[in-house]
Amino acid sequence: GAAPEGGDPSSEDPWQDDEYFGSYGTLRLHLEMLSDRSRTEAYRQVVASNSASLKNKVVMDLGCGTGIISLFCAQLAQPSAVYAVEASSMVEHTRQLVKQNGCEEVVTVLQGRAEELELPEQVDILVSEWMGNCLLFEFMVESVLLARDRWLRDGGVMWPSSAALTLVPCQADSYYSEKMAFWERPYGLDFTPLQPLAQQEFFTKPKFSHLIDPEDCLSVPCDVIRLNMYTVQVRDLEEVKGEFQFSVAKPGVFHGFTAWFTVQFESLETGGATVELNTGPNSDPTHWKQTLFMLDTPTPVNAGDSIHGNVILRRNPVWRRHMTVTLHWKINSSTDNCQVGTKHFPMWR
Amino acid sequence: GAAPEGGDPSSEDPWQDDEYFGSYGTLRLHLEMLSDRSRTEAYRQVVASNSASLKNKVVMDLGCGTGIISLFCAQLAQPSAVYAVEASSMVEHTRQLVKQNGCEEVVTVLQGRAEELELPEQVDILVSEWMGNCLLFEFMVESVLLARDRWLRDGGVMWPSSAALTLVPCQADSYYSEKMAFWERPYGLDFTPLQPLAQQEFFTKPKFSHLIDPEDCLSVPCDVIRLNMYTVQVRDLEEVKGEFQFSVAKPGVFHGFTAWFTVQFESLETGGATVELNTGPNSDPTHWKQTLFMLDTPTPVNAGDSIHGNVILRRNPVWRRHMTVTLHWKINSSTDNCQVGTKHFPMWR
Ligand SMILES: [Ca+2]
Ligand SMILES: [Ca+2]
């Protein structure tokens, strides 16, 4: 969700933990995540398809929320212990749910932040649902990496094991019409003086919760960033950069870029099948939906045009859960001269 | 939208004007209102169908926002003057739009609250779009009544001229399933310990932005409150009460009550047609949609059962834009004994 604007960092927590963990102390977000069947069934599938190998293993479920993943582990497999860790006040209810489902022998619920975590033993598997909009937003991944470095045994397994951010140049005609073209002639009047305000208000930040129609993708999508969850370091998150090279597949209007992520869960067995959770437009919609980055000016493009450039995710040096996404692009078309552009999208500060 | 919870009234403005007028200083709400064709076309229709009678009249458009109603007056009729009054910072843009559309000779844009308003003359017509959820929420109507008492000439016309709040007992099966039944067996687990929390979080306050399917109305709706915009007094708004008597038309599950409003605009000509804006389920959806009041326990009902009782809208004595809606009901069925219930719904404090 949107964080409040402005504010004085000296008097505020740059992690905004009261706000962040506070929102996870109410049911609304947990219901949204649990109701997301693609997401929740992916984790269930990971546990179910690895149930034999999970026997006698020690699992940590970081940011467990209602404890659903820990309960899957306890009910579908026979781990020796599951440590379900949650920083928000939801944890009281998590304990109740573990009891209600008869899992209290296996699942230990611990309240606290990853940074302050104390466990009686190292773990074989660190599972977590840490992904945010554009994969990294809210940077819960930092807590996962800290927990990994401290508590995952050598040779232990990370779930997810890898992650990718995918980008595609796209049309967004109805969004553009609704927010920008609308002012041209509403009810026979000329409201164009409001267009600069509309651009500022609707196109400066990315649009979360966009569901892109696959028909609006102007090209085959491209993975621009990949994270190996075993090797990525917290310091690497300060600036993450990727390149793209798209070939426009059909004539259309280039309104912006749409981004989404995929994560992969490797099997505990050598040669076992990898489970993937894909939040893109060709999979069932998830609660993350996709993220739309609107450019300031729509550009007509033709089949065969190339759109290349790069994307940089720069973590906000003050507000540690926020970042700015910078897009640089160059359009090479057979007919026109090339066009270049750069736009910075704060998410959210 | 939802206002922040809690807070210390002694250090805060009980009118929350910074928040209230601040939200109208951005485009988002204005776009939502302008994009609502039923709403905006109703006002346009009122002006268009009265254009002959508006000649040489003086109009006040209170809370004019982008100035759309004033622009309709200037473009579709020939009033001698239109005073467009707006308290939010949108007013700078309103001035620009008036110029852009060549209406600056007729439309004078004034920044300020209704209470502090100074006009050079009394007005013949006071037009305003002051309606909120459940008609009264946010109590902008108070500003309209203050402006009426001070600036409307004897015999002047109020647009809207009257208003009604309508109620119907209803089913809300999918909302109930999504928020409450969900916890019964998600992914094969027992999450019922979260149901009291869900009730507290999702059913304590009314649900705004509910679109009720006419099929889910268990009875013919009933107007429970009517306001005559010429005679209603600010003090009358402290407690507004209405009675209802519904006869259940078909078997179903009584989940709660749905409320919406209608407003009427009388013609300036004797015998001229009244324009009505109806925000109910049998009209095109508006940006207000409908408001759902969920009871704590669903009750099966049968055709012929009677549901009677009353509704009280009590304005919050501290937070002047808020109110509590209290519903008392009694179900008389041919088969069971009668059931009675009472529930208080804060909107929002
Ligand atoms: Ca998440
Ligand atoms: Ca309104």
Side-chain angles (χ1 to χ4, degrees):
Chain A
E5 304 292 313
D8 167 15
S10 64
S11 68
E12 280 185 62
D13 169 15
W15 281 88
Q16 301 167 282
D17 276 352
D18 288 351
E19 197 183 321
Y20 180 73
F21 292 119
S23 67
Y24 287 96
T26 62
L27 267 191
R28 193 179 58 82
L29 291 177
H30 295 287
L31 178 55
E32 188 185 16
M33 295 187 293
L34 291 168
S35 300
D36 178 348
R37 297 201 79 82
S38 305
R39 165 198 177 271
T40 309
E41 291 286 7
Y43 280 85
R44 178 147 102 148
Q45 178 59 26
V46 171
V47 173
S49 63
N50 285 281
S51 64
S53 309
L54 276 165
K55 185 155 185 165
N56 297 328
K57 293 289 196 301
V58 179
V59 179
M60 185 198 321
D61 172 8
L62 188 69
C64 68
T66 54
I68 187 97
I69 301 172
S70 296
L71 292 170
F72 289 157
C73 290
Q75 292 214 326
L76 305 173
Q78 291 166 283
S80 65
V82 178
Y83 298 103
V85 182
E86 174 61 34
S88 84
S89 64
M90 185 51 53
V91 79
E92 309 163 35
H93 304 288
T94 312
R95 286 202 181 95
Q96 238 187 318
L97 294 175
V98 167
K99 273 214 183 102
Q100 185 82 8
N101 289 278
C103 298
E104 69 271 36
E105 302 287 300
V106 174
V107 179
T108 304
V109 179
L110 301 167
Q111 175 160 28
R113 297 192 41 145
E115 296 72 2
E116 296 145 11
L117 189 60
E118 291 299 334
L119 295 185
E121 56 188 327
Q122 294 245 301
V123 306
D124 299 300
I125 293 129
L126 171 48
V127 60
S128 180
E129 194 277 85
W130 52 264
M131 299 81 73
N133 283 286
C134 280
L135 189 60
L136 294 180
F137 185 61
E138 294 195 313
F139 287 90
M140 181 179 162
V141 65
E142 172 163 338
S143 302
V144 175
L145 301 184
L146 296 175
R148 174 196 70 188
D149 294 344
R150 184 130 176 243
W151 296 108
L152 187 68
R153 72 160 173 79
D154 282 354
V157 166
M158 294 290 287
W159 279 345
S161 319
S162 59
L165 183 72
T166 306
L167 210 63
V168 74
C170 66
Q171 304 196 122
D173 220 40
S174 66
Y175 187 65
Y176 186 81
S177 299
E178 193 184 300
K179 303 296 187 194
M180 187 59 67
F182 176 84
W183 307 106
E184 281 163 20
R185 206 81 203 142
Y187 306 95
L189 297 164
D190 177 359
F191 272 32
T192 52
L194 296 179
Q195 287 185 324
L197 202 61
Q199 176 148 315
Q200 171 61 32
E201 201 168 317
F202 303 117
F203 296 170
T204 298
K205 293 180 176 178
K207 182 192 176 226
F208 284 177
S209 293
H210 183 64
L211 275 178
I212 189 178
D213 183 335
E215 289 292 301
D216 282 334
C217 295
L218 291 169
S219 147
V220 172
C222 170
D223 286 356
V224 287
I225 285 161
R226 287 171 207 268
L227 296 187
N228 177 327
M229 292 304 294
Y230 294 95
T231 57
V232 64
Q233 299 297 314
V234 171
R235 64 177 175 275
D236 301 336
L237 304 174
E238 294 299 319
E239 185 172 302
V240 185
K241 195 170 168 172
E243 314 259 315
F244 53 80
Q245 168 92 46
F246 297 108
S247 174
V248 174
K250 58 179 177 189
V253 178
F254 175 37
H255 280 113
F257 293 94
T258 293
W260 63 85
F261 66 83
T262 55
V263 290
Q264 295 79 34
F265 303 82
E266 64 178 347
S267 175
L268 297 179
E269 289 161 54
T270 320
T274 296
V275 174
E276 182 171 90
L277 169 59
N278 186 326
T279 66
N282 294 305
S283 302
D284 287 336
T286 69
H287 77 289
W288 290 283
K289 301 180 186 162
Q290 290 99 38
T291 306
L292 173 63
F293 296 87
M294 288 294 280
L295 307 185
D296 293 337
T297 317
T299 307
V301 289
N302 288 303
D305 289 358
S306 115
I307 300 173
H308 63 102
N310 59 57
V311 55
I312 306 172
L313 278 53
R314 264 194 206 89
R315 195 168 176 187
N316 188 309
V318 176
W319 302 103
R320 302 306 282 156
R321 298 197 181 279
H322 297 233
M323 63 185 179
T324 292
V325 175
T326 298
L327 287 156
H328 298 278
W329 66 93
K330 185 171 177 179
I331 312 173
N332 282 305
S333 96
S334 48
T335 52
D336 294 324
N337 294 329
C338 77
Q339 291 188 39
V340 298
T342 295
K343 191 167 171 177
H344 302 282
F345 294 89
M347 285 173 72
W348 286 95
R349 296 192 183 186
Chain B
E5 303 292 313
D8 168 14
S10 64
S11 68
E12 281 184 60
D13 169 15
W15 281 88
Q16 301 167 283
D17 276 352
D18 289 351
E19 195 182 321
Y20 180 72
F21 292 119
S23 67
Y24 288 97
T26 62
L27 267 191
R28 191 178 60 82
L29 290 176
H30 296 288
L31 178 56
E32 188 185 17
M33 294 186 294
L34 291 168
S35 301
D36 178 346
R37 298 201 78 82
S38 305
R39 164 199 177 271
T40 309
E41 291 286 9
Y43 280 85
R44 179 147 101 148
Q45 178 58 27
V46 171
V47 173
S49 63
N50 284 282
S51 64
S53 309
L54 276 165
K55 185 155 184 164
N56 297 327
K57 293 290 196 301
V58 179
V59 179
M60 184 198 322
D61 173 7
L62 188 69
C64 68
T66 54
I68 187 97
I69 301 171
S70 296
L71 293 170
F72 289 157
C73 290
Q75 293 214 326
L76 304 173
Q78 292 165 282
S80 64
V82 178
Y83 299 102
V85 182
E86 174 61 35
S88 84
S89 64
M90 185 51 52
V91 79
E92 310 163 35
H93 304 287
T94 311
R95 286 203 180 93
Q96 239 187 318
L97 294 174
V98 167
K99 272 213 183 102
Q100 185 82 8
N101 289 278
C103 298
E104 70 270 34
E105 302 289 299
V106 174
V107 179
T108 305
V109 179
L110 300 168
Q111 177 161 26
R113 296 192 43 147
E115 295 73 1
E116 296 145 10
L117 189 61
E118 290 300 333
L119 295 185
E121 56 187 327
Q122 294 245 302
V123 306
D124 299 300
I125 293 130
L126 170 49
V127 61
S128 179
E129 194 278 84
W130 52 264
M131 300 80 73
N133 282 286
C134 280
L135 189 60
L136 294 179
F137 186 61
E138 294 194 315
F139 287 90
M140 180 178 163
V141 65
E142 172 163 339
S143 302
V144 175
L145 301 184
L146 296 175
R148 175 197 69 188
D149 293 345
R150 185 132 175 242
W151 296 109
L152 187 68
R153 73 160 171 79
D154 280 353
V157 166
M158 295 290 288
W159 279 343
S161 319
S162 59
L165 183 72
T166 306
L167 210 64
V168 74
C170 66
Q171 304 196 121
D173 220 39
S174 64
Y175 187 66
Y176 185 83
S177 299
E178 193 185 300
K179 303 297 186 193
M180 187 59 66
F182 176 84
W183 307 105
E184 280 164 21
R185 206 82 202 141
Y187 306 95
L189 297 164
D190 177 359
F191 271 32
T192 53
L194 296 179
Q195 286 186 323
L197 201 62
Q199 175 147 317
Q200 171 62 32
E201 201 169 318
F202 303 117
F203 296 170
T204 298
K205 292 180 177 176
K207 182 193 177 228
F208 284 178
S209 292
H210 183 64
L211 275 178
I212 188 176
D213 183 335
E215 290 291 299
D216 282 334
C217 295
L218 291 169
S219 148
V220 172
C222 170
D223 287 355
V224 287
I225 286 161
R226 289 173 206 266
L227 296 187
N228 177 327
M229 292 304 294
Y230 295 94
T231 57
V232 64
Q233 300 297 316
V234 171
R235 64 177 176 274
D236 300 335
L237 303 174
E238 295 298 319
E239 185 172 302
V240 185
K241 194 168 169 175
E243 315 259 313
F244 53 80
Q245 167 93 45
F246 298 108
S247 174
V248 174
K250 59 182 177 188
V253 178
F254 175 37
H255 280 111
F257 293 93
T258 293
W260 63 86
F261 66 83
T262 55
V263 290
Q264 294 79 34
F265 303 82
E266 63 178 346
S267 175
L268 298 179
E269 289 162 54
T270 321
T274 296
V275 174
E276 183 172 88
L277 168 59
N278 186 325
T279 66
N282 294 306
S283 302
D284 287 336
T286 69
H287 77 289
W288 289 283
K289 301 180 186 164
Q290 290 99 37
T291 306
L292 173 62
F293 297 87
M294 288 292 281
L295 307 186
D296 293 337
T297 317
T299 307
V301 289
N302 289 301
D305 289 359
S306 115
I307 300 173
H308 63 102
N310 59 58
V311 55
I312 307 172
L313 279 53
R314 264 194 207 88
R315 196 168 176 187
N316 188 310
V318 175
W319 303 102
R320 302 305 282 157
R321 298 198 181 279
H322 298 232
M323 64 184 178
T324 292
V325 175
T326 298
L327 287 156
H328 298 279
W329 66 93
K330 184 169 176 179
I331 312 173
N332 284 305
S333 97
S334 48
T335 52
D336 294 324
N337 293 330
C338 76
Q339 291 187 40
V340 298
T342 295
K343 191 167 171 179
H344 303 283
F345 294 88
M347 285 174 73
W348 287 96
R349 297 193 183 183

